[in-house]
Every structure is written in C-alpha cells, then in structure tokens.
Amino acid sequence: MKLGWGSKKFTLVIIPDANRSVRQFEMLNSIPYIAATAVFVLILVTLVLFFFQGRTAVIADQLKVKIDSQELVYTHTVEDKNETIEQLQNEVIKLSQQTSEMKARIDDIRKMEDEVRSITGSTKIVAAAEGTNTLDSAMGGISHPATNNDVNELLSQTKTQLSDMDLELAALQQSITDTKHKALAIKEQLRVTPNIWPVDSHRITSGFGLRQDPFTRRPSFHSGYDISAPANSEVSVTADGIVRITGSDSERGNHIVVDHSNGLQTMYMHLNKILVQKNDSVQKGQLIGLVGSTGRSTGYHLHYEVLQNGVSVDPLPYLK
C-alpha cells in the first residue's frame, strides 16, 4: 500500500441538529496546511504592519516635537529680530533728534561768535538759524507706526545733516580761532592802552589846552590834566609798560614817564614819592608813586599827561 499526501483526503462532517441530516465534505489533506500557513502569514504580516505603524507613529511624534521646537525657535527669532529692528529704528530717531539739537547748539555758538566779532570790531555778522530751541519733554499726537521707508529716509537726512555739520564745525573752529587771536590782540592792546584813572579822585582842577597860568596869570598851554587829590594818595600806572624816566626838577617835581609801546607814553608829575625805578616793567593799576606838590605846583594834585609820538594829547578820550 502506497502512502502519499496527494491521494489522501479529509472528510468534514457537519451535524446541524437532530432533525437535519448530516453533511459531509471531502477535501484534500493539503488544504488545512495551506490554510494554517495563510493564517500564519496573515498574522505575521499584521504584526509587521503593527510594528511599522508603531514605529511610524513614534517617528511622526518625534518629527512633530522637532517641528514644534523649530517653530518656537523661529517665532522667538522673528520676535527678537523685530525687537532689534524696532530698537534700531528708535536709535535712528534719537540720533536724528540729537543731530538737530547739536545743529541748534552750533547755531547758538555761531551767534555768540558773531557777538564776539561785533565786540572785537569785525563786520562779519551771520544771523543764527531760526528754530534753535532745544526739544523739551512735551509730546503727543496720533500714533502712526513708522515704515522702513520712513526710517531709511530719516537715516539719509541724518547722514546729510552730520556731513554738513562736519563742514560747519571745521569752518566754525577756524572762525573761532581767528576770533580768539583778534580778541587776544585786542586784550593786549587794551593792556597797553592808558584807559583808567591814575588816582581815585576824578576832580579835575585844570584841563588840557589853553589856560591862565596859575603863577604868571598869563595865557599858557597846559599839556595834561591836573587832578586834585589828598597828599600821599596812591598813584597807579594807567597801562602796562616800561618805566623810561624817573627824576625830579624844579617844574615837574618828582615825576615818572612810562612807555606803553606804539609811540604811547604817560607822565605823572609833582609826586611826593616815586615807588618804581627806571626800566621797571609795570602792569596796569600797579602802584608807582604818591600824590604830592613838588615842583611848580600850588597844592596837592597829580599832573597826568598822555603823549603820542612825543606830542601831548588830550587824556580825556583814554579815560573811562
């Protein structure tokens, strides 16, 4: 007897219930194995699908977390960028305001320089620009967010203003330097100009020019001012200079001659005492002698004389 899987058959008996007939089915013996194998393969495929579905879900969750994280970083980056842009825009606005304020200050400085020029005798007067008041803290108005074009235009204007200010500052620096030199020259000129009173008293007993001589009672020329003052009153030099003469004679009495350069000299006569020596350097207001009545004098006074290139001139234009 030969055995073979192909010739064997299985009989499937189905018994419904007592009232029904039994049903029988014959099938090849390989069908159950095929069915079992198919079920196993199906189960295996299902498991593999579940495995890949689970792995896919994990990967999807990881990607979602990563995307959410990247989105958060991107959001923060955009916020930081916008905040930085806004800060830069505000800095541009502040720079523009500071530039305007600096321009106003330059105009104020130029105005002061023009005033100095007018004092020193220069004719170059330039009016200060209008609207130079500095900004205060009072603000208001409707809110209109600035656009990039607005900020770029403001930045361009500010750059132009700064460039112009550089040129103005250079010109102003040179102008102030010139004015300073002129002011120093004028200051030096004032130091050697006899424009103060030689004694505290301003009581003039005899002026410059023709008069009746106090001794001869005849008309005579008086070459200076006789200023009445108490005996030993302080006599001050009326400008910076060098003492050229100190001496005494029967007419001028004790006297001093001071050279102030530029051909200008002053003479102090009838002194009771001389307090400087020849070739001494003296400064305006310095004590040089005491009032007396020496020489050709009728009483205590100071004969004060101004000479220009050796010629006596009226002292009045020099006195304050």
Side-chain angles (χ1 to χ4, degrees), residues 14 21 81 108 118 133 195 211 213 243 258 261 284:
I14 299 176
S21 59
K81 180 180 178 182
D108 290 340
S118 66
N133 293 331
N195 59 355
R211 69 172 183 175
D213 188 279
V243 177
V258 179
S261 72
K284 179 183 288 190

Side-chain angles (χ1 to χ4, degrees), residues 99-154:
T99 302
S100 299
E101 293 175 2
M102 185 62 67
K103 180 67 167 59
R105 292 176 183 174
I106 290 176
D107 291 336
D108 290 340
I109 294 173
R110 189 176 292 280
K111 182 179 179 181
M112 287 188 290
E113 189 218 0
D114 291 338
E115 293 174 354
V116 172
R117 283 180 176 274
S118 66
I119 294 173
T120 57
S122 175
T123 58
K124 182 182 178 181
I125 305 295
V126 181
E130 296 181 357
T132 58
N133 293 331
T134 55
L135 300 177
D136 55 26
S137 58
M139 300 180 183
I142 302 174
S143 175
H144 293 292
T147 64
N148 290 335
N149 290 335
D150 294 335
V151 176
N152 290 334
E153 183 177 357
L154 180 61

